[in-house]
């Protein structure tokens, strides 16, 4: 799993940096890029399939998840970043960031048994029923991240996160009673590695903003409900106080 996580970071960094590179493009290339970014095929994981549900009435149902890990992540200062991107006609910088960081998170969750439930516009709510990190070696992941920082010529930034990495290695996830906090730190560090290289490139291209991802993670009883409004929307939504707690933690409330 260690190598897979490193490869995922490298993969989505490459794809995003290729997207924002300021270079002349052929007309058909730009058209393909726009279609790739803006066209969405909704293929949700069906949390209600073959599961017992409770009903408020014939139109509204919900499912109990029980004690689960809830992750909330969102982009700090997203409004001002979008406004700056719009002012220079570079909306793909913003949209592409949301897309590729969401893809990165989705692939990470696939590795550890979780799913993204909903996208908020500048972030995501995700759920993990249980975590099994028995084959995960934080020391190897730590070494792999350090190698990435060196490749990015950003070794000095690595020291800023060294305490978090040291704690992850010391406590791990399986043996720590505050497993949700270690999971939050792990997701935060992955986004931090991604953002450091992205922000370096943005400065080279003379953009005046930085990307920073906020992450919250709490554990508790949770439910999921589905909004299905014909011809408008079909979306699952997490409900429960633990969901709000995860979002408030990310936003420092």
């Amino acid at each position: 799993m260690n190598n897979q996580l490193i490869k995922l970071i490298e993969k989505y960094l490459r794809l995003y940096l290729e997207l924002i590179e300021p270079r002349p493009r052929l007309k058909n290339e730009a058209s393909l890029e726009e279609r790739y970014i803006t066209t969405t095929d909704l293929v949700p994981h069906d949390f209600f399939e073959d599961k017992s549900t409770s009903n408020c009435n014939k139109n509204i149902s919900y499912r109990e998840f029980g004690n689960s890990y809830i992750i909330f992540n969102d982009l700090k200062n997203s409004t001002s970043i979008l406004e700056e991107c719009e002012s220079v006609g570079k909306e793909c910088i913003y949209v592409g960031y949301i897309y590729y960081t969401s893809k990165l998170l989705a692939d990470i969750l696939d590795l550890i048994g979780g799913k993204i439930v909903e996208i908020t516009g500048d972030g995501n709510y995700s759920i993990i029923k249980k975590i099994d990190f028995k084959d995960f070696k934080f020391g190897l992941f730590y070494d792999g991240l350090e190698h990435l920082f060196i490749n990015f010529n950003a070794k000095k930034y690595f020291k800023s996160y060294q305490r978090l990495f040291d704690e992850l290695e010391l406590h791990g996830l399986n043996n720590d009673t505050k497993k949700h906090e270690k999971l939050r730190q792990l997701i935060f560090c992955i986004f931090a590695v991604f953002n450091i290289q992205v922000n370096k490139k943005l400065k080279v291209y003379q953009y005046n903003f930085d990307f920073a991802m906020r992450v919250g993670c709490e554990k508790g009883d949770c439910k999921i409900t589905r909004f299905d409004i014909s011809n408008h929307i079909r979306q699952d939504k997490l409900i429960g106080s633990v969901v709000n707690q995860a979002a408030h933690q990310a936003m420092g409330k």
Side-chain angles (χ1 to χ4, degrees), residues 204-234:
V204 172
Y205 302 152
Q206 298 184 338
Y207 293 108
N208 296 315
F209 56 83
D210 290 324
F211 285 117
M213 192 69 79
R214 302 182 295 188
V215 180
C217 182
E218 293 288 350
K219 186 179 183 184
D221 289 335
C222 180
K223 302 177 180 66
I224 188 170
T225 189
R226 174 166 292 168
F227 292 97
D228 196 343
I229 302 174
S230 181
N231 298 319
H232 288 273
I233 192 170
R234 184 173 186 263

Side-chain angles (χ1 to χ4, degrees), residues 77-89 94:
N77 299 326
S78 58
T79 301
S80 61
I81 291 173
L82 178 57
E83 289 173 349
E84 181 163 347
C85 289
E86 288 177 330
S87 70
V88 294
Y94 177 88

Side-chain angles (χ1 to χ4, degrees), residues 9 12-13 16-17 20 73-76 81 93 96-98 100-102 104 145 148-149 152 154 157 161 187-203 209-215:
I9 296 171
Y12 289 112
L13 261 175
Y16 181 67
L17 293 178
I20 68 173
N73 67 281
D74 78 332
L75 175 61
K76 186 177 180 180
I81 291 173
I93 292 177
Y97 179 86
I98 300 299
Y100 285 120
T101 54
S102 296
L104 173 60
L145 287 181
L148 278 182
F149 275 84
F152 299 156
Y157 295 106
Y161 300 99
I187 300 298
F188 174 81
C189 287
I190 289 171
F191 281 133
V193 173
F194 185 93
N195 289 333
I196 284 170
Q197 181 66 352
V198 167
N199 291 334
K200 283 183 64 181
K201 286 293 185 182
L202 290 173
K203 291 296 181 290
F209 56 83
D210 290 324
F211 285 117
M213 192 69 79
R214 302 182 295 188
V215 180

Side-chain angles (χ1 to χ4, degrees), residues 128 131 173 179-187 217:
I128 304 174
I131 304 173
L173 286 174
K179 197 179 292 187
H180 62 277
E181 176 59 20
K182 301 308 175 190
L183 178 60
R184 186 191 73 83
Q185 291 177 0
L186 178 63
I187 300 298
C217 182

Side-chain angles (χ1 to χ4, degrees), residues 6 9 138-169 188-190 192-194 196-197 200:
I6 298 297
I9 296 171
F138 282 97
L140 294 177
F141 182 60
Y142 175 98
D143 292 341
L145 287 181
E146 185 174 24
H147 179 71
L148 278 182
F149 275 84
I150 292 172
N151 284 350
F152 299 156
N153 195 27
K155 180 66 180 293
K156 64 179 181 180
Y157 295 106
F158 184 76
K159 294 181 180 178
S160 302
Y161 300 99
Q162 194 161 354
R163 179 182 58 83
L164 291 177
F165 297 144
D166 287 343
E167 287 189 10
L168 287 170
E169 174 64 8
F188 174 81
C189 287
I190 289 171
V193 173
F194 185 93
I196 284 170
Q197 181 66 352
K200 283 183 64 181

